Amino acid sequence: MQINQYEIWIADLNPQIGTESGKTRPVVIIQTNLLNKISHPSTIICPITTNIQADSDILRVHLGKEMANLHEDCDILIDQVRAIDNKRLVKKIGVIPQNLVKKIKENLMIILDLP
């Protein structure tokens, strides 16, 4: 299974604990392709939700309906970044549009306090 940065995959995030996103849902692969191209057993992701929050510009990145093969408007949950075992990844469904990659990177840098 080849995974690439900024692809959207369906992942089984159960069991959920506390405020973690659970269920089987789309996720964005955030992990660098340096790790994706080797036999690394886990992947860093951000979950995607259909629970839109219009006033969360830093914690979320909006994906419009039909972007990357999504059927509803969605938000990428930047503040829910986490590593998951590759066995949780079910199938690839799309790729983040290039114009949103910069916004994802910027928001990750803000919440992780990276220069």
Side-chain angles (χ1 to χ4, degrees):
M1 166 169 67
Q2 180 60 51
I3 302 163
N4 291 297
Q5 190 175 39
Y6 302 114
E7 290 179 341
I8 298 176
W9 283 67
I10 298 295
D12 181 357
L13 300 182
N14 289 317
Q16 169 193 5
I17 299 175
T19 61
E20 293 176 349
S21 293
K23 304 192 290 188
T24 299
R25 64 173 62 239
V27 299
V28 178
I29 307 299
I30 301 301
Q31 180 168 281
T32 176
N33 282 334
L34 293 173
L35 291 177
N36 293 334
K37 292 184 193 284
I38 63 172
S39 189
H40 193 66
S42 63
T43 301
I44 301 169
I45 58 97
C46 284
I48 297 175
T49 183
T50 55
N51 181 7
I52 306 299
Q53 303 274 329
D55 59 345
S56 295
D57 288 339
I58 294 172
L59 300 180
R60 294 171 178 236
V61 173
H62 184 68
L63 293 172
K65 183 179 178 180
E66 302 302 325
M67 278 187 181
N69 297 321
L70 297 169
H71 302 294
E72 299 180 57
D73 288 344
C74 299
D75 280 348
I76 301 169
L77 301 172
I78 300 296
D79 63 322
Q80 293 284 326
V81 62
R82 69 187 237 198
I84 62 171
D85 191 284
N86 289 346
K87 293 176 186 166
R88 290 183 178 271
L89 296 169
V90 178
K91 70 176 180 175
K92 177 184 164 183
I93 61 168
V95 178
I96 293 291
Q98 199 57 39
N99 62 326
L100 290 180
V101 168
K102 182 179 178 188
K103 179 70 172 161
I104 293 168
K105 287 181 179 182
E106 288 171 353
N107 288 15
L108 284 166
M109 288 175 65
I110 291 168
I111 68 156
L112 297 173
D113 195 24
L114 299 173

mmCIF file of all heavy atoms in Angstrom, residues 9 17-18 35 37 41 48 56 64 80 83 94 96 109:
data_model
loop_
_atom_site.group_PDB
_atom_site.id
_atom_site.type_symbol
_atom_site.label_atom_id
_atom_site.label_comp_id
_atom_site.label_asym_id
_atom_site.label_seq_id
_atom_site.Cartn_x
_atom_site.Cartn_y
_atom_site.Cartn_z
ATOM 1 N N TRP A 9 -7.581 9.587 2.774
ATOM 2 C CA TRP A 9 -7.871 8.168 2.932
ATOM 3 C C TRP A 9 -9.044 7.987 3.879
ATOM 4 O O TRP A 9 -9.278 8.822 4.755
ATOM 5 C CB TRP A 9 -6.662 7.431 3.522
ATOM 6 C CG TRP A 9 -5.561 7.168 2.539
ATOM 7 C CD1 TRP A 9 -4.751 8.084 1.930
ATOM 8 C CD2 TRP A 9 -5.151 5.895 2.055
ATOM 9 N NE1 TRP A 9 -3.864 7.450 1.102
ATOM 10 C CE2 TRP A 9 -4.085 6.109 1.161
ATOM 11 C CE3 TRP A 9 -5.572 4.596 2.306
ATOM 12 C CZ2 TRP A 9 -3.440 5.084 0.505
ATOM 13 C CZ3 TRP A 9 -4.924 3.552 1.660
ATOM 14 C CH2 TRP A 9 -3.876 3.797 0.760
ATOM 15 N N ILE A 17 -11.228 7.815 22.242
ATOM 16 C CA ILE A 17 -11.045 8.110 23.667
ATOM 17 C C ILE A 17 -11.171 9.621 23.855
ATOM 18 O O ILE A 17 -10.498 10.396 23.168
ATOM 19 C CB ILE A 17 -9.679 7.623 24.182
ATOM 20 C CG1 ILE A 17 -9.556 6.108 24.029
ATOM 21 C CG2 ILE A 17 -9.464 8.046 25.635
ATOM 22 C CD1 ILE A 17 -8.202 5.553 24.406
ATOM 23 N N GLY A 18 -12.029 10.037 24.781
ATOM 24 C CA GLY A 18 -12.188 11.458 25.101
ATOM 25 C C GLY A 18 -12.587 12.289 23.904
ATOM 26 O O GLY A 18 -13.543 11.976 23.206
ATOM 27 N N LEU A 35 9.075 9.356 5.043
ATOM 28 C CA LEU A 35 8.649 8.195 5.825
ATOM 29 C C LEU A 35 7.654 7.333 5.064
ATOM 30 O O LEU A 35 7.617 6.120 5.237
ATOM 31 C CB LEU A 35 8.032 8.639 7.155
ATOM 32 C CG LEU A 35 8.984 9.260 8.164
ATOM 33 C CD1 LEU A 35 8.229 9.724 9.400
ATOM 34 C CD2 LEU A 35 10.075 8.280 8.551
ATOM 35 N N LYS A 37 7.642 6.515 2.007
ATOM 36 C CA LYS A 37 8.277 5.668 0.989
ATOM 37 C C LYS A 37 9.056 4.498 1.573
ATOM 38 O O LYS A 37 9.512 3.631 0.840
ATOM 39 C CB LYS A 37 9.186 6.516 0.101
ATOM 40 C CG LYS A 37 8.399 7.472 -0.763
ATOM 41 C CD LYS A 37 9.292 8.241 -1.699
ATOM 42 C CE LYS A 37 8.610 9.382 -2.341
ATOM 43 N NZ LYS A 37 7.726 9.277 -3.352
ATOM 44 N N PRO A 41 5.565 1.757 9.953
ATOM 45 C CA PRO A 41 4.306 1.118 10.350
ATOM 46 C C PRO A 41 3.174 2.058 10.744
ATOM 47 O O PRO A 41 2.041 1.619 10.908
ATOM 48 C CB PRO A 41 4.711 0.266 11.560
ATOM 49 C CG PRO A 41 5.862 1.004 12.155
ATOM 50 C CD PRO A 41 6.602 1.604 10.984
ATOM 51 N N ILE A 48 -10.893 14.352 9.218
ATOM 52 C CA ILE A 48 -11.791 15.261 8.503
ATOM 53 C C ILE A 48 -13.196 15.058 9.062
ATOM 54 O O ILE A 48 -13.609 13.933 9.320
ATOM 55 C CB ILE A 48 -11.760 14.980 6.988
ATOM 56 C CG1 ILE A 48 -10.365 15.252 6.424
ATOM 57 C CG2 ILE A 48 -12.811 15.800 6.249
ATOM 58 C CD1 ILE A 48 -10.188 14.892 4.964
ATOM 59 N N SER A 56 -13.332 28.945 12.888
ATOM 60 C CA SER A 56 -12.118 28.276 13.381
ATOM 61 C C SER A 56 -11.040 28.258 12.302
ATOM 62 O O SER A 56 -10.652 27.209 11.803
ATOM 63 C CB SER A 56 -12.443 26.844 13.821
ATOM 64 O OG SER A 56 -13.292 26.839 14.917
ATOM 65 N N GLY A 64 -14.353 22.188 0.334
ATOM 66 C CA GLY A 64 -15.670 22.274 -0.273
ATOM 67 C C GLY A 64 -16.141 20.942 -0.827
ATOM 68 O O GLY A 64 -15.342 20.053 -1.120
ATOM 69 N N GLN A 80 -6.316 18.029 15.690
ATOM 70 C CA GLN A 80 -6.450 16.611 16.035
ATOM 71 C C GLN A 80 -5.361 15.761 15.374
ATOM 72 O O GLN A 80 -5.521 14.559 15.217
ATOM 73 C CB GLN A 80 -7.835 16.097 15.625
ATOM 74 C CG GLN A 80 -8.977 16.695 16.410
ATOM 75 C CD GLN A 80 -9.084 16.109 17.799
ATOM 76 O OE1 GLN A 80 -8.806 14.936 18.014
ATOM 77 N NE2 GLN A 80 -9.474 16.931 18.751
ATOM 78 N N ALA A 83 -0.736 10.216 15.111
ATOM 79 C CA ALA A 83 -0.204 9.072 14.371
ATOM 80 C C ALA A 83 -1.165 7.902 14.537
ATOM 81 O O ALA A 83 -1.714 7.692 15.619
ATOM 82 C CB ALA A 83 1.173 8.695 14.891
ATOM 83 N N GLY A 94 -8.888 10.399 -2.451
ATOM 84 C CA GLY A 94 -8.612 11.635 -3.174
ATOM 85 C C GLY A 94 -7.303 12.269 -2.749
ATOM 86 O O GLY A 94 -6.529 11.686 -1.992
ATOM 87 N N ILE A 96 -5.654 16.297 -1.670
ATOM 88 C CA ILE A 96 -5.938 17.691 -1.318
ATOM 89 C C ILE A 96 -5.528 18.585 -2.488
ATOM 90 O O ILE A 96 -4.422 18.427 -3.027
ATOM 91 C CB ILE A 96 -5.143 18.097 -0.050
ATOM 92 C CG1 ILE A 96 -5.639 17.326 1.165
ATOM 93 C CG2 ILE A 96 -5.218 19.604 0.197
ATOM 94 C CD1 ILE A 96 -7.016 17.679 1.638
ATOM 95 N N MET A 109 1.958 24.686 11.486
ATOM 96 C CA MET A 109 3.068 25.424 12.087
ATOM 97 C C MET A 109 2.600 26.274 13.259
ATOM 98 O O MET A 109 3.281 26.372 14.278
ATOM 99 C CB MET A 109 3.757 26.286 11.018
ATOM 100 C CG MET A 109 4.555 25.472 10.030
ATOM 101 S SD MET A 109 5.259 26.443 8.681
ATOM 102 C CE MET A 109 6.406 27.467 9.570
#
